[in-house]
């Protein structure tokens, strides 16, 4: 039986009280409750406070460039589709610098889970506006207030017909754990956007601010199969902010289209040097 302790306990560089701690806790709990062994899991990330998360649990890890958590995730998934692959990223890393990878991997639909620590700020670089920062929020750089229209990741994902779209809150670890479990179990590209207070640099979207607004969508109240309703729901913000699974659309994954994977993971194929020679010769 797998336990949370199997994923280890490490010292972090996060500020005391940061929402990242709860996301780490929820990921460990979700993996343990699903019975995933550390060696069966790969976490990829880019650059940011959020992207440090894979350093703080025991499993396979690839920490790459800013905005680039998804390319190694899909590469690894194709090489070994038996791996449980999670890309862990921040709102800047995923929706800003990595925006093109976000859009096009939704279209590809690899069977991976994307967890976005959405603190509505660039935390690591000390508090510049990110794509999800609120209009009017003042920062050291945006000292007259943010005037770029915020990006709504859920609406964007639903408009692209993303296979699984959800939102959690770092202040509700039980609910977030269940969401991450559902996202991992879903076959296809699964987005978990997590509202995560940054206690050092985002003085607007605090634990109190989120707690006063977030609510769990109940199953009888929302059907994730209805794309138009899901889109409408994704527009709810300000006074009330819904949490839960917004949209689900089961469809073939990227790996399903790759016939070569039908006989098993590529990593289990024995290398045949003669075939490599034949291939190289064919280019002469
Ligand atoms: C190409 C590139 N541009 C900019 C940076 C500087 N940089 C590093 S982390 C970061 C912002 C991270 O913000 P986010 O992804 O929201 O993560 P957080 O720290 O808030 O968790 C920036 C701008 C970089 N490392 N590489
Ligand atoms: S700067 Fe913000 S996001 Fe980064 S560790 Fe500190 S509180 Fe967390
Ligand atoms: Mg951020």
């Amino acid at each position: 039986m797998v336990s949370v302790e199997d994923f280890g306990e490490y010292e972090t560089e996060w500020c005391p009280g940061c929402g990242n701690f709860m996301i780490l806790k929820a990921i460990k709990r979700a993996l343990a409750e699903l019975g995933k062994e550390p060696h069966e899991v790969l976490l990829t990330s880019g650059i940011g406070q959020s992207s440090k998360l894979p350093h703080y649990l025991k499993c396979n890890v690839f920490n790459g460039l800013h905005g680039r958590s998804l390319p190694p995730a899909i590469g690894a998934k194709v090489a070994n589709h038996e791996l449980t692959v999670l890309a862990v990223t921040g709102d800047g890393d995923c929706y800003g610098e990595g925006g093109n990878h976000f859009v096009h991997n939704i279209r590809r639909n690899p069977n991976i889970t994307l967890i976005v620590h959405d603190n509505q700020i660039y935390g690591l670089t000390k508090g510049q506006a990110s794509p999800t920062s609120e209009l009017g929020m003042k920062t050291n750089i945006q000292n007259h207030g943010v005037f770029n229209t915020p990006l709504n990741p859920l609406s964007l994902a639903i408009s692209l017909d993303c296979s699984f779209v959800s939102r959690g809150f770092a202040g509700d670890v039980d609910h977030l754990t269940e969401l991450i479990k559902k996202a991992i179990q879903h076959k296809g590209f699964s987005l978990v956007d997590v509202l995560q207070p940054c206690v050092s640099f985002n003085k607007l979207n605090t634990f109190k601010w989120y707690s006063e607004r977030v609510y769990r969508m109940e199953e009888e109240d929302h059907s994730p199969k209805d794309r138009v309703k899901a889109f409408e729901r994704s527009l709810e913000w300000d006074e009330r902010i819904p949490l839960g699974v917004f949209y689900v659309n089961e469809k073939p994954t990227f790996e399903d289209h790759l016939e070569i994977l039908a006989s098993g993971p590529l990593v289990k194929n024995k290398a045949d040097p003669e075939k490599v020679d034949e291939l190289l010769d064919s280019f002469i």
Side-chain angles (χ1 to χ4, degrees):
M1 215 177 96
V2 187
S3 72
V4 168
E5 287 70 38
D6 294 334
F7 289 92
E9 187 78 51
Y10 300 87
E11 209 174 296
T12 78
E13 289 179 18
W14 292 329
C15 312
C18 174
N20 284 333
F21 289 102
M22 281 79 148
I23 303 177
L24 176 60
K25 191 172 180 181
I27 292 177
K28 282 187 187 174
R29 270 173 57 179
L31 291 170
E33 286 174 26
L34 291 176
K36 302 281 178 192
E37 303 268 0
H39 73 273
E40 297 171 326
V41 178
L42 168 70
L43 258 57
T44 65
S45 69
I47 304 289
Q49 296 287 20
S50 36
S51 292
K52 291 179 188 169
L53 182 141
H55 300 194
Y56 306 142
L57 80 168
K58 194 175 95 184
C59 66
N60 300 291
V61 167
F62 187 99
N63 188 187
L65 298 173
H66 194 31
R68 301 293 181 269
S69 65
L70 284 168
I74 188 168
K77 191 72 188 179
V78 170
N80 183 3
H81 60 284
E82 286 178 353
L83 264 183
T84 295
V85 180
L86 278 70
V88 181
T89 173
D91 45 328
D93 197 60
C94 185
Y95 305 137
E97 283 79 356
N100 56 344
H101 297 285
F102 177 64
V103 166
H104 295 292
N105 279 299
I106 289 176
R107 294 180 50 240
R108 288 187 187 106
N109 196 33
N111 184 14
I112 60 183
T113 300
L114 175 68
I115 300 183
V116 187
H117 299 218
D118 191 353
N119 54 11
Q120 303 187 252
I121 202 86
Y122 283 179
L124 185 71
T125 43
K126 303 194 185 304
Q128 304 81 21
S130 83
T132 56
S133 294
E134 305 271 345
L135 274 179
M137 182 167 84
K138 290 191 177 163
T139 75
N140 288 339
I141 302 284
Q142 289 77 23
N143 45 18
H144 294 293
V146 169
F147 53 75
N148 290 337
T149 305
L151 182 149
N152 182 328
L154 304 190
S155 307
L156 176 58
I158 295 164
S159 76
L160 291 165
D161 201 22
C162 181
S163 191
F164 181 101
V165 181
S166 69
R167 182 196 279 134
F169 171 43
D172 188 348
V173 180
D174 290 343
H175 183 254
L176 181 58
T177 304
E178 290 308 312
L179 270 191
I180 295 173
K181 279 164 69 178
K182 282 184 193 159
I184 293 173
Q185 285 171 311
H186 177 81
K187 191 167 168 267
F189 190 86
S190 310
L191 167 66
V192 187
D193 182 79
V194 188
L195 303 175
Q196 174 243 317
C198 165
V199 294
S200 297
F201 297 109
N202 188 336
K203 303 293 183 191
L204 174 67
N205 309 104
T206 59
F207 273 105
K208 184 169 180 287
W209 190 94
Y210 286 123
S211 300
E212 285 168 356
R213 290 164 174 79
V214 295
Y215 70 96
R216 295 180 182 186
M217 286 187 290
E218 301 299 338
E219 274 171 27
E220 60 273 15
D221 178 36
H222 177 68
S223 162
K225 300 269 175 207
D226 188 330
R227 190 170 171 201
V228 173
K229 288 258 162 53
F231 190 84
E232 279 173 7
R233 215 72 201 242
S234 73
L235 297 177
E236 262 185 62
W237 189 257
D238 286 334
E239 295 306 311
R240 281 173 52 79
I241 302 176
L243 303 178
V245 181
F246 285 67
Y247 182 57
V248 176
N249 183 14
E250 318 260 351
K251 53 184 174 177
T253 64
F254 183 71
E255 303 88 282
D256 288 338
H257 292 291
L258 305 180
E259 279 174 28
I260 195 167
L261 301 184
S263 55
L266 294 182
V267 285
K268 291 193 179 159
N269 285 358
K270 268 215 160 139
D272 180 349
E274 275 183 26
K275 283 208 170 131
V276 177
D277 285 343
E278 261 173 45
L279 179 71
L280 290 176
D281 287 345
S282 72
F283 290 112
I284 297 172

